[in-house]
Amino acid sequence: MDIYTIFLVLAVLAGFMMAFNLGANDVANSMASAVGAKAITIKQAVLIAGVLNFAGAVFLGAQVTKTISKGIINPEMITDPKVLMIGMFAALLSAGLWVLVATLTALPVSSTHSIVGSILGFGFVVGGPEVVNWGKLGFVVLSWIISPLFGAVIAGLIFSSIRKRILFRSQMLMQARKWAPFWIALTFTLVFLSFLFKTPFGKNLHLTWWDASYLAPLVTAIFWVIARSFIHKLIPKVDEESEAVEGLFRKMQVGTSCYVAVSQGANDVANAIGPVAAIYMIARDHALLTTAEVPLWLLIVGGLGITLGISVLGYKVMETVGSKITTLNNTRGFAVDFGAATTVLLASNLGMPVSTTHASVGSIVGVGVARGFGTVNFQILFKIVLYWVLTVPIAALSSIIIFQLLRWTIL
Protein backbone atom coordinates (compact mmCIF):
# COMPACT_ATOMS: atom_id res chain seq x y z
CA MET A 1 0.00 0.00 0.00
CA ASP A 2 1.20 3.53 -0.75
CA ILE A 3 1.28 6.30 1.84
CA TYR A 4 -2.08 7.74 0.71
CA THR A 5 -3.93 4.44 1.25
CA ILE A 6 -2.27 3.88 4.63
CA PHE A 7 -3.28 7.34 5.82
CA LEU A 8 -6.82 6.90 4.53
CA VAL A 9 -7.24 3.71 6.61
CA LEU A 10 -5.72 5.41 9.67
CA ALA A 11 -7.92 8.48 9.11
CA VAL A 12 -11.10 6.37 9.07
CA LEU A 13 -10.07 4.88 12.43
CA ALA A 14 -9.22 8.34 13.80
CA GLY A 15 -12.54 9.67 12.48
CA PHE A 16 -14.36 6.87 14.27
CA MET A 17 -12.49 7.80 17.48
CA MET A 18 -13.44 11.46 17.01
CA ALA A 19 -17.10 10.48 16.43
CA PHE A 20 -16.96 8.31 19.58
CA ASN A 21 -15.70 11.25 21.64
CA LEU A 22 -18.19 13.58 20.00
CA GLY A 23 -21.01 11.25 21.06
CA ALA A 24 -19.66 10.92 24.59
CA ASN A 25 -19.34 14.69 25.07
CA ASP A 26 -21.13 17.06 22.66
CA VAL A 27 -24.10 14.86 21.88
CA ALA A 28 -24.67 13.90 25.52
CA ASN A 29 -25.80 17.52 26.00
CA SER A 30 -28.97 16.83 24.02
CA MET A 31 -30.32 14.60 26.80
CA ALA A 32 -28.59 16.17 29.81
CA SER A 33 -31.45 18.44 30.92
CA ALA A 34 -34.03 15.65 30.48
CA VAL A 35 -31.89 13.35 32.66
CA GLY A 36 -31.25 16.11 35.21
CA ALA A 37 -34.99 16.85 35.42
CA LYS A 38 -35.67 13.09 35.80
CA ALA A 39 -37.92 13.12 32.73
CA ILE A 40 -36.01 10.02 31.60
CA THR A 41 -33.33 7.81 33.13
CA ILE A 42 -29.71 7.77 31.94
CA LYS A 43 -30.28 4.33 30.32
CA GLN A 44 -33.31 5.64 28.44
CA ALA A 45 -31.37 8.77 27.42
CA VAL A 46 -28.46 6.68 26.09
CA LEU A 47 -30.84 4.50 24.05
CA ILE A 48 -32.90 7.41 22.66
CA ALA A 49 -29.89 9.63 21.91
CA GLY A 50 -27.97 6.72 20.34
CA VAL A 51 -30.76 5.77 17.94
CA LEU A 52 -31.74 9.34 17.02
CA ASN A 53 -28.17 10.58 16.56
CA PHE A 54 -27.37 7.63 14.30
CA ALA A 55 -30.52 8.34 12.26
CA GLY A 56 -29.65 12.04 12.05
CA ALA A 57 -26.04 11.38 11.04
CA VAL A 58 -26.83 8.76 8.37
CA PHE A 59 -30.12 9.99 6.89
CA LEU A 60 -29.87 13.77 7.40
CA GLY A 61 -26.07 14.24 7.52
CA ALA A 62 -24.45 16.38 4.83
CA GLN A 63 -23.58 14.56 1.62
CA VAL A 64 -21.08 17.36 1.00
CA THR A 65 -18.96 18.71 3.85
CA LYS A 66 -16.46 21.52 4.27
CA THR A 67 -12.99 20.00 4.36
CA ILE A 68 -11.53 22.83 6.44
CA SER A 69 -13.76 23.40 9.46
CA LYS A 70 -15.03 26.99 9.68
CA GLY A 71 -12.52 28.05 6.96
CA ILE A 72 -9.94 28.56 9.71
CA ILE A 73 -6.99 28.17 7.29
CA ASN A 74 -6.50 28.68 3.57
CA PRO A 75 -5.47 25.26 2.15
CA GLU A 76 -4.43 26.77 -1.18
CA MET A 77 -1.34 28.20 0.54
CA ILE A 78 -0.20 24.65 1.43
CA THR A 79 0.85 23.16 -1.90
CA ASP A 80 2.10 19.69 -0.87
CA PRO A 81 -0.88 17.26 -0.68
CA LYS A 82 1.06 14.86 1.57
CA VAL A 83 1.65 17.64 4.10
CA LEU A 84 -2.06 18.52 4.04
CA MET A 85 -3.02 14.87 4.50
CA ILE A 86 -0.68 14.41 7.47
CA GLY A 87 -1.94 17.70 8.92
CA MET A 88 -5.61 16.69 8.71
CA PHE A 89 -4.79 13.33 10.31
CA ALA A 90 -2.89 15.09 13.12
CA ALA A 91 -5.89 17.41 13.59
CA LEU A 92 -8.26 14.45 13.97
CA LEU A 93 -6.03 12.76 16.56
CA SER A 94 -5.44 15.98 18.48
CA ALA A 95 -9.12 17.01 18.62
CA GLY A 96 -10.23 13.48 19.54
CA LEU A 97 -7.72 13.22 22.39
CA TRP A 98 -8.71 16.59 23.90
CA VAL A 99 -12.44 15.80 23.78
CA LEU A 100 -11.67 12.39 25.37
CA VAL A 101 -9.76 14.08 28.21
CA ALA A 102 -12.67 16.48 28.78
CA THR A 103 -15.15 13.57 28.73
CA LEU A 104 -13.17 11.52 31.26
CA THR A 105 -13.20 14.54 33.59
CA ALA A 106 -16.98 14.83 32.89
CA LEU A 107 -16.78 18.38 31.51
CA PRO A 108 -18.54 19.52 28.30
CA VAL A 109 -16.44 21.05 25.50
CA SER A 110 -17.09 21.94 21.86
CA SER A 111 -15.86 19.37 19.34
CA THR A 112 -16.12 22.06 16.65
CA HIS A 113 -13.68 24.26 18.54
CA SER A 114 -11.39 21.27 19.10
CA ILE A 115 -11.21 20.61 15.35
CA VAL A 116 -10.76 24.34 14.63
CA GLY A 117 -7.87 24.58 17.12
CA SER A 118 -6.24 21.44 15.73
CA ILE A 119 -6.39 22.58 12.10
CA LEU A 120 -5.15 26.01 13.18
CA GLY A 121 -2.12 24.38 14.85
CA PHE A 122 -0.77 22.42 11.90
CA GLY A 123 -1.72 25.21 9.45
CA PHE A 124 0.27 27.75 11.44
CA VAL A 125 3.36 25.50 11.45
CA VAL A 126 3.20 24.72 7.73
CA GLY A 127 2.16 28.07 6.26
CA GLY A 128 2.93 30.62 8.96
CA PRO A 129 0.54 33.23 10.39
CA GLU A 130 -0.66 34.37 6.94
CA VAL A 131 -2.29 30.97 6.27
CA VAL A 132 -4.61 31.45 9.27
CA ASN A 133 -7.92 33.27 8.89
CA TRP A 134 -7.64 35.34 12.05
CA GLY A 135 -11.07 36.88 11.53
CA LYS A 136 -12.67 33.43 11.67
CA LEU A 137 -10.69 32.64 14.82
CA GLY A 138 -11.97 35.86 16.36
CA PHE A 139 -15.53 34.68 15.65
CA VAL A 140 -14.79 31.38 17.40
CA VAL A 141 -13.58 33.27 20.48
CA LEU A 142 -16.66 35.50 20.28
CA SER A 143 -18.88 32.39 20.41
CA TRP A 144 -17.60 31.71 23.94
CA ILE A 145 -19.56 34.82 24.94
CA ILE A 146 -22.47 34.91 22.47
CA SER A 147 -23.66 31.28 22.77
CA PRO A 148 -23.98 31.05 26.57
CA LEU A 149 -25.20 34.64 26.93
CA PHE A 150 -27.98 34.22 24.35
CA GLY A 151 -28.90 30.85 25.84
CA ALA A 152 -29.01 32.23 29.39
CA VAL A 153 -31.16 35.23 28.47
CA ILE A 154 -33.67 33.28 26.34
CA ALA A 155 -34.02 30.34 28.77
CA GLY A 156 -34.26 32.69 31.76
CA LEU A 157 -37.04 34.71 30.10
CA ILE A 158 -38.95 31.57 29.08
CA PHE A 159 -38.77 30.07 32.59
CA SER A 160 -39.76 33.40 34.17
CA SER A 161 -42.77 33.56 31.84
CA ILE A 162 -43.81 29.98 32.76
CA ARG A 163 -43.50 30.80 36.46
CA LYS A 164 -45.45 34.04 36.14
CA ARG A 165 -48.28 32.64 33.99
CA ILE A 166 -48.58 29.11 35.40
CA LEU A 167 -46.51 28.18 38.47
CA PHE A 168 -47.23 31.28 40.57
CA ARG A 169 -50.99 31.30 39.86
CA SER A 170 -53.54 29.97 42.33
CA GLN A 171 -55.29 27.74 39.77
CA MET A 172 -52.11 26.29 38.36
CA LEU A 173 -53.67 23.42 36.40
CA MET A 174 -56.24 25.64 34.69
CA GLN A 175 -53.46 28.07 33.67
CA ALA A 176 -51.42 25.13 32.34
CA ARG A 177 -54.35 24.03 30.17
CA LYS A 178 -54.57 27.59 28.86
CA TRP A 179 -50.86 28.24 28.18
CA ALA A 180 -49.45 24.78 27.41
CA PRO A 181 -50.93 24.67 23.85
CA PHE A 182 -49.11 27.95 23.18
CA TRP A 183 -45.75 26.51 24.31
CA ILE A 184 -46.37 23.25 22.45
CA ALA A 185 -47.18 25.18 19.24
CA LEU A 186 -44.07 27.36 19.66
CA THR A 187 -41.96 24.24 20.24
CA PHE A 188 -43.18 22.58 17.06
CA THR A 189 -42.59 25.81 15.15
CA LEU A 190 -39.04 25.97 16.50
CA VAL A 191 -38.44 22.35 15.49
CA PHE A 192 -39.91 23.06 12.05
CA LEU A 193 -37.70 26.13 11.48
CA SER A 194 -34.62 24.38 12.87
CA PHE A 195 -35.23 21.45 10.54
CA LEU A 196 -35.46 23.83 7.57
CA PHE A 197 -32.42 25.93 8.37
CA LYS A 198 -30.10 23.75 10.48
CA THR A 199 -30.18 20.24 8.99
CA PRO A 200 -28.41 19.53 5.67
CA PHE A 201 -31.66 18.01 4.32
CA GLY A 202 -33.62 21.16 5.14
CA LYS A 203 -30.94 23.44 3.66
CA ASN A 204 -31.26 21.60 0.36
CA LEU A 205 -34.83 22.92 0.10
CA HIS A 206 -33.32 26.42 -0.30
CA LEU A 207 -36.11 28.20 1.55
CA THR A 208 -35.48 31.79 2.64
CA TRP A 209 -36.40 33.47 5.92
CA TRP A 210 -39.01 35.36 3.91
CA ASP A 211 -40.63 32.01 3.03
CA ALA A 212 -40.39 30.94 6.67
CA SER A 213 -42.10 34.15 7.84
CA TYR A 214 -45.22 32.99 5.96
CA LEU A 215 -44.97 29.35 7.04
CA ALA A 216 -44.15 29.85 10.75
CA PRO A 217 -47.45 31.52 11.80
CA LEU A 218 -49.40 28.87 9.89
CA VAL A 219 -47.46 26.04 11.58
CA THR A 220 -47.93 27.69 15.00
CA ALA A 221 -51.69 28.08 14.46
CA ILE A 222 -52.13 24.48 13.28
CA PHE A 223 -50.27 22.99 16.23
CA TRP A 224 -52.03 25.34 18.70
CA VAL A 225 -55.39 24.00 17.50
CA ILE A 226 -54.15 20.38 17.69
CA ALA A 227 -52.64 20.92 21.15
CA ARG A 228 -55.86 22.55 22.44
CA SER A 229 -57.88 19.51 21.42
CA PHE A 230 -55.46 17.00 23.01
CA ILE A 231 -54.23 18.92 26.06
CA HIS A 232 -56.48 17.02 28.51
CA LYS A 233 -54.85 13.74 27.40
CA LEU A 234 -51.33 15.11 27.94
CA ILE A 235 -51.93 16.13 31.55
CA PRO A 236 -51.41 13.16 33.89
CA LYS A 237 -54.14 12.35 36.42
CA VAL A 238 -52.52 12.96 39.81
CA ASP A 239 -53.74 14.56 43.03
CA GLU A 240 -51.25 17.43 43.22
CA GLU A 241 -51.66 20.23 40.66
CA SER A 242 -47.91 20.90 40.65
CA GLU A 243 -47.21 17.25 39.79
CA ALA A 244 -49.72 17.38 36.93
CA VAL A 245 -48.09 20.51 35.50
CA GLU A 246 -44.60 18.99 35.80
CA GLY A 247 -45.91 15.81 34.12
CA LEU A 248 -47.17 17.86 31.18
CA PHE A 249 -43.85 19.67 30.74
CA ARG A 250 -42.04 16.35 31.11
CA LYS A 251 -43.63 15.13 27.87
CA MET A 252 -42.83 18.41 26.14
CA GLN A 253 -39.22 18.28 27.33
CA VAL A 254 -38.65 14.73 26.08
CA GLY A 255 -39.94 15.86 22.69
CA THR A 256 -37.53 18.81 22.45
CA SER A 257 -34.61 16.64 23.62
CA CYS A 258 -35.39 14.08 20.89
CA TYR A 259 -35.34 16.80 18.25
CA VAL A 260 -32.00 18.16 19.51
CA ALA A 261 -30.56 14.62 19.35
CA VAL A 262 -31.58 14.16 15.69
CA SER A 263 -30.34 17.63 14.76
CA GLN A 264 -26.98 17.14 16.48
CA GLY A 265 -26.45 13.84 14.71
CA ALA A 266 -27.10 15.54 11.37
CA ASN A 267 -24.86 18.54 12.04
CA ASP A 268 -22.06 17.39 14.35
CA VAL A 269 -21.10 14.26 12.39
CA ALA A 270 -19.27 16.66 10.02
CA ASN A 271 -16.78 17.43 12.82
CA ALA A 272 -15.64 13.81 12.74
CA ILE A 273 -15.90 13.01 9.04
CA GLY A 274 -14.93 16.39 7.52
CA PRO A 275 -11.17 15.81 7.97
CA VAL A 276 -11.60 12.15 6.89
CA ALA A 277 -13.39 13.32 3.73
CA ALA A 278 -10.47 15.71 3.13
CA ILE A 279 -7.93 12.86 3.42
CA TYR A 280 -10.15 10.66 1.21
CA MET A 281 -10.09 13.39 -1.46
CA ILE A 282 -6.31 13.84 -1.20
CA ALA A 283 -5.74 10.07 -1.42
CA ARG A 284 -7.98 9.86 -4.49
CA ASP A 285 -7.16 13.08 -6.36
CA HIS A 286 -3.85 14.22 -4.74
CA ALA A 287 -5.53 17.62 -4.23
CA LEU A 288 -7.86 19.31 -1.73
CA LEU A 289 -10.89 21.46 -2.52
CA THR A 290 -12.93 23.50 -0.03
CA THR A 291 -15.73 20.91 -0.07
CA ALA A 292 -15.76 17.14 -0.44
CA GLU A 293 -18.41 14.54 -1.24
CA VAL A 294 -19.11 12.28 1.72
CA PRO A 295 -19.72 8.61 0.86
CA LEU A 296 -22.64 6.96 2.68
CA TRP A 297 -20.28 4.43 4.34
CA LEU A 298 -18.41 7.34 5.95
CA LEU A 299 -21.65 8.77 7.37
CA ILE A 300 -22.41 5.31 8.77
CA VAL A 301 -18.93 5.13 10.38
CA GLY A 302 -19.56 8.55 11.96
CA GLY A 303 -23.06 7.56 13.12
CA LEU A 304 -21.82 4.33 14.68
CA GLY A 305 -18.98 6.15 16.46
CA ILE A 306 -21.38 8.74 17.90
CA THR A 307 -23.77 6.00 19.06
CA LEU A 308 -21.01 3.98 20.73
CA GLY A 309 -19.64 7.10 22.45
CA ILE A 310 -23.04 7.94 23.94
CA SER A 311 -23.48 4.33 25.12
CA VAL A 312 -20.07 3.96 26.78
CA LEU A 313 -19.23 7.38 28.25
CA GLY A 314 -22.22 9.66 27.59
CA TYR A 315 -23.44 9.40 31.19
CA LYS A 316 -20.47 11.41 32.51
CA VAL A 317 -21.25 14.71 30.75
CA MET A 318 -25.02 14.11 31.08
CA GLU A 319 -24.60 14.00 34.84
CA THR A 320 -22.49 17.18 35.01
CA VAL A 321 -24.64 19.30 32.70
CA GLY A 322 -27.98 17.91 33.89
CA SER A 323 -27.40 17.81 37.65
CA LYS A 324 -24.28 19.61 38.89
CA ILE A 325 -24.74 23.18 37.60
CA THR A 326 -28.22 23.73 39.06
CA THR A 327 -31.20 21.60 40.09
CA LEU A 328 -33.62 20.98 37.23
CA ASN A 329 -37.24 19.89 37.12
CA ASN A 330 -39.40 19.49 34.01
CA THR A 331 -40.52 23.12 33.63
CA ARG A 332 -36.92 24.32 34.05
CA GLY A 333 -35.65 21.58 31.73
CA PHE A 334 -38.15 22.57 29.04
CA ALA A 335 -36.98 26.19 29.28
CA VAL A 336 -33.36 25.00 28.96
CA ASP A 337 -34.03 22.94 25.82
CA PHE A 338 -36.16 25.66 24.24
CA GLY A 339 -33.56 28.34 25.06
CA ALA A 340 -30.63 26.34 23.68
CA ALA A 341 -32.44 25.37 20.46
CA THR A 342 -33.65 28.95 19.89
CA THR A 343 -30.15 30.31 20.48
CA VAL A 344 -28.58 27.94 17.96
CA LEU A 345 -31.27 28.69 15.36
CA LEU A 346 -31.23 32.48 15.71
CA ALA A 347 -27.50 33.03 16.15
CA SER A 348 -26.41 30.72 13.34
CA ASN A 349 -28.88 32.24 10.85
CA LEU A 350 -27.84 35.77 11.81
CA GLY A 351 -24.28 34.78 10.91
CA MET A 352 -23.13 34.81 14.55
CA PRO A 353 -20.78 32.13 15.89
CA VAL A 354 -22.63 29.61 18.01
CA SER A 355 -21.87 26.39 19.89
CA THR A 356 -24.63 23.96 20.94
CA THR A 357 -22.58 22.92 23.97
CA HIS A 358 -22.11 26.51 25.13
CA ALA A 359 -25.75 27.38 24.44
CA SER A 360 -26.95 24.40 26.53
CA VAL A 361 -24.76 25.29 29.51
CA GLY A 362 -25.71 28.97 29.22
CA SER A 363 -29.41 28.07 29.18
CA ILE A 364 -29.05 25.99 32.34
CA VAL A 365 -27.27 28.88 34.07
CA GLY A 366 -30.00 31.29 32.90
CA VAL A 367 -32.74 29.14 34.41
CA GLY A 368 -30.73 28.82 37.62
CA VAL A 369 -30.10 32.57 37.90
CA ALA A 370 -33.83 33.22 37.34
CA ARG A 371 -34.35 31.41 40.66
CA GLY A 372 -31.45 33.22 42.36
CA PHE A 373 -27.65 33.19 42.09
CA GLY A 374 -27.40 30.86 45.07
CA THR A 375 -28.97 28.04 43.05
CA VAL A 376 -26.04 27.93 40.57
CA ASN A 377 -22.85 25.95 41.31
CA PHE A 378 -20.30 28.53 40.14
CA GLN A 379 -17.39 26.27 41.11
CA ILE A 380 -18.30 23.65 38.47
CA LEU A 381 -19.24 26.45 36.06
CA PHE A 382 -15.75 27.95 36.40
CA LYS A 383 -14.19 24.57 35.52
CA ILE A 384 -16.41 24.27 32.44
CA VAL A 385 -15.56 27.78 31.19
CA LEU A 386 -11.85 27.12 31.83
CA TYR A 387 -12.03 24.04 29.58
CA TRP A 388 -13.79 26.11 26.90
CA VAL A 389 -11.01 28.70 26.94
CA LEU A 390 -8.29 26.02 26.90
CA THR A 391 -9.85 24.03 24.03
CA VAL A 392 -8.41 25.94 21.06
CA PRO A 393 -4.85 26.48 22.40
CA ILE A 394 -4.47 22.91 23.75
CA ALA A 395 -5.90 21.37 20.57
CA ALA A 396 -3.56 23.57 18.49
CA LEU A 397 -0.47 22.72 20.55
CA SER A 398 -1.12 18.97 20.57
CA SER A 399 -1.84 19.07 16.82
CA ILE A 400 1.53 20.77 16.23
CA ILE A 401 3.34 18.09 18.26
CA ILE A 402 1.60 15.17 16.51
CA PHE A 403 2.07 16.77 13.08
CA GLN A 404 5.78 17.41 13.60
CA LEU A 405 6.39 13.86 14.84
CA LEU A 406 4.57 12.42 11.82
CA ARG A 407 6.33 14.74 9.37
CA TRP A 408 9.78 13.93 10.75
CA THR A 409 8.98 10.21 10.64
CA ILE A 410 7.42 10.03 7.18
CA LEU A 411 8.60 12.91 4.97
Side-chain angles (χ1 to χ4, degrees):
M1 289 194 296
D2 62 9
I3 187 172
Y4 292 105
T5 307
I6 292 170
F7 262 90
L8 178 58
V9 173
L10 292 174
V12 171
L13 295 174
F16 183 83
M17 182 194 76
M18 181 64 194
F20 174 91
N21 293 320
L22 193 153
N25 197 294
D26 267 41
V27 173
N29 284 316
S30 64
M31 291 289 162
S33 61
V35 170
K38 296 180 173 56
I40 51 177
T41 65
I42 284 186
K43 286 184 178 179
Q44 290 171 329
V46 165
L47 178 63
I48 294 168
V51 171
L52 294 181
N53 270 276
F54 180 80
V58 175
F59 299 111
L60 298 176
Q63 300 298 317
V64 176
T65 184
K66 289 183 180 178
T67 53
I68 304 294
S69 183
K70 303 296 180 187
I72 201 71
I73 65 169
N74 181 5
E76 293 175 3
M77 297 181 70
I78 304 172
T79 55
D80 188 340
K82 285 184 182 178
V83 170
L84 261 176
M85 184 173 64
I86 293 170
M88 298 304 286
F89 178 68
L92 264 179
L93 281 181
S94 169
L97 288 171
W98 170 244
V99 178
L100 178 61
V101 168
T103 302
L104 293 175
T105 54
L107 293 172
V109 294
S110 170
S111 61
T112 303
H113 292 179
S114 301
I115 282 286
V116 164
S118 298
I119 293 175
L120 166 70
F122 94 81
F124 188 88
V125 168
V126 174
E130 57 273 7
V131 82
V132 178
N133 188 336
W134 295 104
K136 290 281 186 181
L137 181 60
F139 263 67
V140 169
V141 173
L142 197 60
S143 74
W144 298 340
I145 303 168
I146 289 175
S147 300
L149 186 63
F150 268 44
V153 170
I154 294 171
L157 288 173
I158 289 167
F159 179 61
S160 296
S161 175
I162 291 170
R163 286 207 301 180
K164 179 182 177 182
R165 300 181 190 284
I166 299 175
L167 302 182
F168 286 178
R169 294 295 183 94
S170 55
Q171 294 180 310
M172 191 187 300
L173 197 54
M174 188 178 76
Q175 293 300 319
R177 288 195 185 97
K178 176 183 175 183
W179 286 101
F182 169 75
W183 289 111
I184 291 170
L186 274 188
T187 301
F188 273 103
T189 304
L190 176 66
V191 169
F192 171 74
L193 292 175
S194 297
F195 181 80
L196 288 183
F197 293 105
K198 284 298 293 174
T199 64
F201 180 84
K203 288 175 183 176
N204 288 335
L205 298 175
H206 303 296
L207 293 176
T208 65
W209 275 101
W210 190 251
D211 298 324
S213 67
Y214 288 106
L215 290 171
L218 179 63
V219 171
T220 304
I222 290 170
F223 279 105
W224 181 81
V225 171
I226 293 170
R228 283 272 294 181
S229 60
F230 283 96
I231 193 65
H232 63 283
K233 294 183 179 179
L234 295 176
I235 298 175
K237 295 178 180 179
V238 291
D239 294 334
E240 289 288 329
E241 282 197 343
S242 59
E243 285 184 32
V245 171
E246 288 295 327
L248 171 62
F249 275 92
R250 172 181 177 270
K251 293 172 183 175
M252 293 162 63
Q253 186 189 4
V254 172
T256 53
S257 295
C258 287
Y259 164 70
V260 173
V262 174
S263 179
Q264 276 195 316
N267 287 293
D268 289 2
V269 71
N271 290 330
I273 65 171
V276 182
I279 294 170
Y280 176 70
M281 177 186 282
I282 295 169
R284 188 186 62 189
D285 304 330
H286 293 193
L288 179 64
L289 302 176
T290 54
T291 60
E293 289 184 12
V294 181
L296 179 61
W297 65 266
L298 200 49
L299 285 172
I300 293 172
V301 167
L304 287 172
I306 289 173
T307 303
L308 187 63
I310 297 169
S311 304
V312 177
L313 291 177
Y315 70 94
K316 285 181 172 288
V317 171
M318 279 187 202
E319 205 171 289
T320 298
V321 176
S323 307
K324 293 184 179 179
I325 300 173
T326 193
T327 303
L328 294 176
N329 58 15
N330 299 124
T331 45
R332 297 167 203 160
F334 170 77
V336 166
D337 284 347
F338 196 95
T342 306
T343 298
V344 171
L345 177 66
L346 291 178
S348 61
N349 282 285
L350 288 172
M352 296 179 179
V354 64
S355 162
T356 305
T357 300
H358 298 178
S360 297
V361 172
S363 297
I364 289 171
V365 173
V367 167
V369 168
R371 296 167 51 234
F373 282 93
T375 63
V376 179
N377 184 343
F378 284 99
Q379 187 176 1
I380 194 75
L381 186 61
F382 174 77
K383 289 181 182 177
I384 291 171
V385 173
L386 180 64
Y387 268 54
W388 290 355
V389 174
L390 291 175
T391 292
V392 170
I394 286 183
L397 181 61
S398 56
S399 176
I400 290 169
I401 294 169
I402 294 169
F403 173 72
Q404 290 287 34
L405 289 173
L406 288 171
R407 185 161 69 166
W408 291 335
T409 305
I410 296 165
L411 299 181

